[in-house]
Amino acid sequence: MKTGRQPTKNTVSPPHIISWYQLRVKVLEQAESIEDLYPIRSLHYEVLKGDKASISSIRVNDQYRIEFTVKQVATESVITICNILELSNHYK
């Protein structure tokens, strides 16, 4: 008998993705300003456009990215790590 429900999606990320994610969060924690992220080319830091305007992202690897917000406080950029919006496989 069919229930019309989709099978539940496996939301657990592979262990290597989790360790890369943790390394990327450490980089965000250590950044004194958003400009510190520009020279780290592997992050592919970008400010998103369209319906995700004002959200920034960095790459965890080729498939996953971390989306987060950045606020200007006085003359400093403050990276809000506790507001990670998505660890997504955005190519699916």
Side-chain angles (χ1 to χ4, degrees):
M1 178 169 149
K2 287 191 174 186
T3 62
R5 291 185 182 183
Q6 295 279 340
T8 55
K9 191 175 173 181
N10 183 3
T11 57
V12 177
S13 297
H16 68 281
I17 299 299
I18 293 169
S19 63
W20 273 102
Y21 166 82
Q22 291 170 336
L23 289 173
R24 297 304 192 201
V25 169
K26 285 182 185 176
V27 169
L28 290 175
E29 288 175 333
Q30 293 172 354
E32 293 185 20
S33 70
I34 206 68
E35 289 78 18
D36 292 345
L37 302 177
Y38 296 142
I40 308 171
R41 297 179 59 82
S42 64
L43 293 179
H44 297 278
Y45 171 77
E46 64 181 329
V47 177
L48 302 178
K49 299 175 184 170
D51 62 338
K52 292 191 174 190
S54 78
I55 297 173
S56 298
S57 79
I58 59 171
R59 298 281 172 92
V60 174
N61 69 1
D62 289 339
Q63 289 184 308
Y64 293 87
R65 68 181 177 188
I66 300 171
E67 296 178 351
F68 56 94
T69 59
V70 178
K71 290 183 184 179
Q72 279 296 117
V73 177
T75 59
E76 296 181 357
S77 293
V78 176
I79 299 170
T80 307
I81 298 172
C82 62
N83 194 17
I84 293 171
L85 301 175
E86 187 174 6
L87 173 61
S88 68
N89 184 343
H90 65 284
Y91 290 111
K92 274 190 165 182

